Amino acid sequence: MAHIAFADPICEELRQIILAKARGLKLRVHDGGTYVNMEGPAFSTRAESLANHQQGHQVIGMTNLGEAKCAREAEIALCHHGDGDRLRLLENR
């Protein structure tokens, strides 16, 4: 068994490809941000979403952390998405 580096869990090359393709299709896409992993199986409470926003987190998810670790160990390029729960909450305040 060996330890893997995990400081940058997202494949930058794949991220750039996805950004370029999404922009080419004129899709709404956000470039960058901080992901916070929440325990599921339920979405965040309003208080959790607001607290994460105040701490500067832009994306909230439940599964990306485990997926990213497994992909890194298997040497698979990975780029994540997050749910829009927090963004919808903040837009509807």
Side-chain angles (χ1 to χ4, degrees):
M1 176 170 18
H3 292 286
I4 56 168
F6 203 65
D8 299 304
I10 305 303
C11 174
E12 184 62 25
E13 182 180 356
L14 179 58
R15 191 180 82 78
Q16 292 299 327
I17 291 168
I18 292 170
L19 278 172
K21 186 65 171 177
R23 288 178 176 148
L25 294 170
K26 307 258 189 270
L27 298 175
R28 181 178 172 197
V29 61
H30 300 278
D31 184 5
T34 302
Y35 172 82
V36 62
N37 195 79
M38 302 295 294
E39 264 194 64
F43 286 115
S44 308
T45 65
R46 182 179 312 275
E48 289 170 324
S49 291
L50 291 172
N52 281 307
H53 172 68
Q54 290 168 352
Q55 292 175 8
H57 304 134
Q58 291 81 22
V59 181
I60 300 170
M62 289 181 262
T63 62
N64 292 346
L65 180 62
E67 293 166 0
K69 287 182 178 182
C70 288
R72 177 60 54 89
E73 288 175 356
E75 298 181 351
I76 298 171
L78 189 67
C79 188
H80 294 292
H81 65 40
D83 66 51
D85 181 47
R86 189 196 68 77
L87 293 174
R88 283 190 301 275
L89 169 76
L90 296 173
E91 289 169 355
N92 294 322
R93 282 207 278 182

